[in-house]
Amino acid sequence: MQLIRVHDKQFEPYLTAEEIDSRIKMVAQQINQDYAGKRPLFIAILNGSFMFASDLFKEITIDAEICFIKLASYKGTKSTGHVITAIGLDMDIIGRDIIIIEDIVDTGKTLSEFLPQIDHQQPSSVKIVALLHKPEAMVYPVKIDYLGFSIPSKFVVGYGLDYDGLGRNIREIYRLAE
Ligand code: 5GP
C-alpha cells in the first residue's frame, strides 16, 4: 500500500479515481432522471467541492445552472464548526429547484446552518448531493438526497479535500493512516 505524506501526516489510499468517477456518473444519471424537464440550479459549496462539482456537472445532461458560494472554514483534522459566508449567493432563487453540492457531510453542522438561509429565500425545492458522508459523526441530522459514498469517521484528503490547505490536487481520496 502506497502511503503518502500531506503536511505532517501519513495517508493511505481509500477511493481510486475510477471508483469516484463511476459513482459520480451513477449519481448524475439519477439527477438527470429526477429533474428531467426542469432546470435546476446547483449551488456548490467552496472550497472542498470544486472538483466534485466540476465532474458531477459535466455528467448533467439536462438544462441546469451552477453557482458557487463559500461558507465554512475547516482547520486541521476536526470541524471548527464556524460557518462564515465569504462569497454570497447573488442569484435570485425564488421558485427555483436547488441542488446543493457538498464535498463531505461530517457532523452536519455546515448544512444545518446553511439550509435555513436557503429556505428563507423561498426556492421551489432544495436537495443535497454530497460526495462523502460520515454517518457515525452526524450530530445535526441533514437529509442527503444523493450520496457518493458513506465512509467511516476518518479524516480524508484528496479530490478537492484538503489537510491544512494541502492535498486538494490529488486525484484519489486518501484517509489518515493509523
Ligand atoms: P460538517 O459541518 O458536516 O461537520 O463538516 C463539513 C465540512 O467539514 C466539509 O465541507 C469539509 O470542509 C470539512 N470536513 C469534514 N470532514 C472532513 C474530512 O475528513 N476531510 C476534510 N478534508 N474535510 C472535512
Side-chain angles (χ1 to χ4, degrees):
M1 180 164 38
Q2 194 65 47
L3 291 180
I4 59 159
R5 173 170 285 271
V6 179
H7 199 53
D8 58 353
K9 294 202 190 313
Q10 300 263 62
F11 290 84
E12 60 189 21
Y14 185 51
L15 296 169
T16 65
E18 292 73 28
E19 283 169 326
I20 297 167
D21 183 58
S22 67
R23 186 69 196 132
I24 287 175
K25 288 193 164 104
M26 287 168 72
V27 169
Q29 206 175 14
Q30 191 62 56
I31 294 174
N32 286 330
Q33 270 176 29
D34 294 353
Y35 287 83
K38 296 183 175 170
R39 180 177 156 166
L41 169 64
F42 287 82
I43 300 177
I45 302 181
L46 296 171
N47 293 332
S49 76
F50 78 96
M51 213 174 272
F52 173 47
S54 165
D55 286 345
L56 178 76
F57 201 60
K58 278 182 274 187
E59 300 297 330
I60 297 299
T61 51
I62 54 168
D63 281 352
E65 291 173 60
I66 190 166
C67 69
F68 298 84
I69 60 163
K70 191 167 181 179
L71 284 182
S73 69
Y74 192 85
K75 290 197 175 71
T77 53
K78 262 201 233 154
S79 185
T80 57
H82 195 62
V83 176
I84 322 149
T85 305
I87 302 169
L89 186 58
D90 53 8
M91 292 187 69
D92 191 356
I93 63 167
I94 295 175
R96 297 297 305 267
D97 292 305
I98 304 297
I99 304 174
I100 295 168
I101 306 180
E102 178 66 304
D103 51 359
I104 177 165
V105 180
D106 187 16
T107 64
K109 192 172 196 311
T110 308
L111 285 179
S112 68
E113 287 190 10
F114 178 54
L115 286 174
Q117 294 179 33
I118 287 288
D119 284 340
H120 189 69
Q121 297 182 51
Q122 298 173 319
S124 166
S125 68
V126 181
K127 289 204 172 173
I128 294 166
V129 56
L131 178 65
L132 304 169
H133 174 39
K134 294 178 181 169
E136 294 154 17
M138 195 81 144
V139 178
Y140 309 86
V142 262
K143 183 170 176 279
I144 302 170
D145 302 280
Y146 304 97
L147 178 63
F149 302 91
S150 190
I151 65 167
S153 293
K154 254 194 185 178
F155 190 77
V156 291
V157 291
Y159 197 69
L161 291 157
D162 75 311
Y163 167 47
D164 265 355
L166 297 179
R168 293 195 197 274
N169 49 334
I170 302 167
R171 284 172 182 267
E172 303 82 20
I173 291 175
Y174 282 73
R175 69 178 178 189
L176 197 58
E178 292 301 335

